[in-house]
Amino acid sequence: MNISRRFFGGAIAAGVAAASLTACSTDMNSTPAAVTTAPPGAALRAGSGVNTTLGPIKKIDAGVLNVAYAEFGPSTGQPVILLHGWPYDAYSYADVGPLLAKAGYRVLVPYLRGYGPTTFLSPQTVRNGQQSAIARDIVDFMDALHIDKAVLGGFDWGARTVDIIAALWPQRVKAMVAVSGYIITQQAAQQQPLPPEAELGWWYQYYFATERGRLGYDRNRHDFNKLIWKRASPAWNFDDATYERSAAAFDNPDQVDIVISNYRWRLSLAPGEPQYDAYEQQLATGPAISVPAITIGSDFDGAAKDGKAYRGKFTGKYEHRVLDGIGHNVPQEAPQPFAQAIIDADHL
């Protein structure tokens, strides 16, 4: 498929919305620019669900993990690394991967720690879900594959990981695409309450803070995660087969430990590990991102999808796109616009 770089009209945009409890404060004095608004959701979903397989899953030892990953496209192509979030998996990119492969890219889609066939090399390694540990995993993955620099893209945990790598290791990032924009967690900011309606949206984070929540997630993770899919993407009519392909990834023996650690750490209810302290200290300052970047806002982001909340965090070449009618799992719901954003970011 020939993906036109003019799909979104080529307008340079400003700001997309911080749709996370962990979103940072922003520079509201930055100069506003036009926001590119895509067609309604039905048109954006073209091509979603076309591919039902990731092909052979490869594995490689990287850092503390044996990382399982899907790969698309020529080995000589510009590397693109695409990262999923919770409660999703590599199948979020089942349609994006082939689109980018046809455009000549080498596309790598790893399963994060605690998902799918990815495993820890040692039973003694702490099952830690803090943000910088996951980001370090991806840098180690790049090192293991001898990839010096890549285009990175992601949503949810994946977008946060892309943000972190771009902030801490900008020399490893050629360009980036982040759904919901700048969502690096700052623990101090997490201690501040939100308006009641906003707090309601993060009910599961507070549930996970309890032992009842941990037990409930462990017992019911299949149905729990399906509920999150429906709530995060209410207009996406995915079928059972689509969900079941991803649900298999939640059977990873470390899934519960990693998920609970991730959300408790954000609220300062679980410790991180000392080897990540220096990274977290840098991230606590809300570092700017200087690499070429495209951010994407969707209906999941609510009123914040215009991106104004974090425009000032991106100091390099930058565009923002709004996908009306699309929920949180942007690459799987709207694969062509997401693939287009990767291509366009690479050419910023």
Side-chain angles (χ1 to χ4, degrees):
M1 179 178 295
N2 180 26
I3 307 176
S4 169
R5 292 191 63 220
R6 298 298 178 186
F7 186 92
F8 287 97
I12 296 179
V16 159
S20 166
L21 185 63
T22 63
C24 296
S25 61
T26 187
D27 177 5
M28 299 303 292
N29 295 319
S30 55
T31 303
V35 174
T36 306
T37 302
L44 295 172
R45 289 193 176 87
S48 177
V50 168
N51 297 289
T52 58
T53 179
L54 296 173
I57 298 299
K58 301 181 178 182
K59 293 186 176 183
I60 191 168
D61 288 351
V64 300
L65 299 174
N66 177 256
V67 179
Y69 65 100
E71 183 168 357
F72 306 88
S75 61
T76 56
Q78 164 64 50
V80 173
I81 298 175
L82 303 176
L83 305 175
H84 67 82
W86 174 84
Y88 305 97
D89 79 325
Y91 272 99
S92 290
Y93 298 100
D95 295 315
V96 171
L99 288 173
L100 293 175
K102 290 178 182 179
Y105 289 93
R106 180 191 183 191
V107 183
L108 303 151
V109 188
Y111 286 86
L112 301 184
R113 56 170 61 192
Y115 294 82
T118 290
T119 57
F120 285 87
L121 295 173
S122 170
Q124 280 72 51
T125 302
V126 176
R127 273 37 177 181
N128 175 6
Q130 77 181 100
Q131 61 179 0
S132 57
I134 295 171
R136 183 71 243 187
D137 289 344
I138 302 306
V139 174
D140 290 339
F141 176 67
M142 294 174 68
D143 289 345
L145 290 171
H146 306 290
I147 295 173
D148 180 61
K149 182 178 287 191
V151 178
L152 302 183
F155 73 105
D156 197 80
W157 292 16
R160 179 171 295 107
T161 303
V162 169
D163 287 341
I164 291 169
I165 297 173
L168 298 183
W169 297 279
Q171 72 278 11
R172 308 300 298 269
V173 183
K174 187 172 187 286
M176 60 169 279
V177 173
V179 174
S180 300
Y182 190 98
I183 52 175
I184 293 173
T185 296
Q186 294 174 285
Q187 286 182 309
Q190 294 274 241
Q191 304 308 309
Q192 299 303 312
L194 299 172
E197 187 172 356
E199 296 281 24
L200 180 64
W202 304 111
W203 64 272
Y204 57 87
Q205 297 197 25
Y206 310 129
Y207 183 62
F208 289 161
T210 69
E211 285 306 300
R212 173 175 171 161
R214 180 191 184 93
L215 181 61
Y217 185 61
D218 193 12
R219 288 183 180 176
N220 304 299
R221 70 185 88 163
H222 178 279
D223 291 347
F224 191 105
N225 290 344
K226 192 171 187 178
L227 174 64
I228 297 295
W229 275 40
K230 291 177 178 178
R231 292 179 64 88
S233 300
W236 180 34
N237 295 317
F238 60 87
D239 58 21
D240 288 342
T242 296
Y243 178 71
E244 293 302 330
R245 283 190 288 274
S246 289
F250 312 141
D251 292 332
N252 184 295
D254 299 309
Q255 164 75 187
V256 175
D257 285 343
I258 295 300
V259 171
I260 297 301
S261 169
N262 180 284
Y263 287 106
R264 289 186 182 180
W265 177 86
R266 294 191 204 184
L267 296 174
S268 300
L269 298 175
E273 291 183 88
Q275 64 264 40
Y276 304 111
D277 285 352
Y279 300 146
E280 295 299 346
Q281 289 167 9
Q282 293 179 67
L283 296 174
T285 68
I289 292 174
S290 61
V291 306
I294 291 176
T295 55
I296 296 174
S298 71
D299 287 359
F300 178 82
D301 302 319
K305 68 180 172 181
D306 63 6
K308 293 178 181 178
Y310 54 70
R311 174 62 185 96
K313 290 298 183 181
F314 294 90
T315 60
K317 295 179 179 179
Y318 178 76
E319 294 184 16
H320 175 66
R321 293 170 182 183
V322 174
L323 302 183
D324 290 321
I326 299 299
H328 192 37
N329 186 358
V330 169
Q332 195 163 3
E333 294 182 60
Q336 292 184 24
F338 189 90
Q340 185 66 58
I342 292 289
I343 293 171
D344 292 348
D346 184 35
H347 291 87
L348 281 177

